[in-house]
Amino acid sequence: MGKVKLLDKSFKLYISAEEIEKNVNILARQINNELKGEEVCFLGVLNGAFMFASDLLRQINLNCRTTFLKLASYSGTSSTGKVKQLIGINEDIKDSVVVVVEDIVDTGSTLEYLVKLLKEYGPKDIKIATMFMKPEAYVGEISIDYIGMKIQNEFVVGYGLDYEGYGRNLKDLYILESQN
Ligand code: 5GP
């Protein structure tokens, strides 16, 4: 399927499921090698990372824990505007190597915030695994340990990523078609 329409926008096929799978397997091998013998806890970031986490974890052979968290943003009435919270985390990650499993890293601001919050739980180390990354958009300081694929600085959907909740179920990655 070369094209897909979600609400008012058209997207075209960008990266096939086969290509994604190949890169997930490479990442899994790398993680299996590097974190052997460590107390590891994988932390999938909902909603977008559900598909990547599912595919990645099936290839992980470590004796590890897996959990998920959600970042909630609330529009506050204060001058700071937004308040973010973690839902679904507890202090069990103390002394573990935490591997954050993200769908995509864009500017890196979500990640920056998440890592700051996670540090308060006292993990041994924090590693970042993301399926996709947009190097041109990234302005963060945190180094990304495991990157599935680097992509163009354009809006994409599929493989867990949505447009207004639609498109998460697509097994391939699609890119927004120019409007003209
Ligand atoms: P950042 O904070 O790194 O700028 O953005 C990260 C979050 O923005 C991701 O977790 C994802 O939810 C959303 N995001 C960034 N780029 C895209 C994209 O191309 N497509 C979709 N669907 N979401 C994106």
Side-chain angles (χ1 to χ4, degrees):
M1 196 171 44
K3 291 200 181 189
V4 61
K5 189 152 197 288
L6 303 173
L7 300 175
D8 58 326
K9 302 216 185 299
S10 297
F11 298 84
K12 61 175 189 240
L13 184 64
Y14 180 33
I15 300 171
S16 71
E18 289 73 24
E19 195 69 18
I20 292 170
E21 188 187 357
K22 223 164 41 188
N23 286 283
V24 171
N25 292 343
I26 292 169
L27 264 194
R29 266 202 300 275
Q30 198 185 345
I31 293 172
N32 284 334
N33 286 334
E34 289 182 17
L35 300 184
K36 203 181 292 172
E38 295 280 2
E39 174 60 40
V40 178
C41 181
F42 287 89
L43 210 56
V45 184
L46 295 172
N47 295 324
F50 79 95
M51 203 174 275
F52 173 45
S54 166
D55 286 346
L56 179 73
L57 267 297
R58 264 181 282 206
Q59 305 299 327
I60 294 293
N61 58 24
L62 304 169
N63 187 6
C64 60
R65 288 179 296 162
T66 303
T67 186
F68 290 86
L69 63 82
K70 193 158 184 167
L71 262 183
S73 16
Y74 299 109
S75 294
T77 48
S78 69
S79 57
T80 53
K82 270 188 172 175
V83 181
K84 288 192 180 179
Q85 289 192 334
L86 287 180
I87 300 177
I89 188 133
N90 55 43
E91 58 277 25
D92 270 8
I93 60 169
K94 197 174 174 329
D95 304 325
S96 294
V97 175
V98 172
V99 181
V100 175
V101 180
E102 270 277 21
D103 49 357
I104 190 164
V105 174
D106 186 10
T107 64
S109 68
T110 307
L111 196 61
E112 203 87 20
Y113 205 88
L114 180 59
V115 167
K116 206 164 89 192
L117 291 177
L118 283 177
K119 279 186 178 160
E120 291 171 18
Y121 293 85
K124 180 178 173 192
D125 198 3
I126 300 173
K127 301 273 187 192
I128 314 295
T130 187
M131 183 57 225
F132 302 110
M133 180 181 185
K134 297 178 183 171
E136 285 168 45
Y138 191 65
V139 291
E141 307 265 286
I142 296 164
S143 68
I144 316 293
D145 305 277
Y146 308 108
I147 300 170
M149 301 180 83
K150 293 180 178 167
I151 64 166
Q152 271 172 253
N153 191 11
E154 303 288 345
F155 188 75
V156 292
V157 293
Y159 200 68
L161 289 154
D162 75 308
Y163 171 53
E164 304 284 345
Y166 291 90
R168 289 195 200 278
N169 55 308
L170 299 165
K171 62 185 166 59
D172 309 287
L173 192 72
Y174 289 79
I175 194 162
L176 185 62
E177 280 201 299
S178 55
Q179 309 285 302
N180 45 36

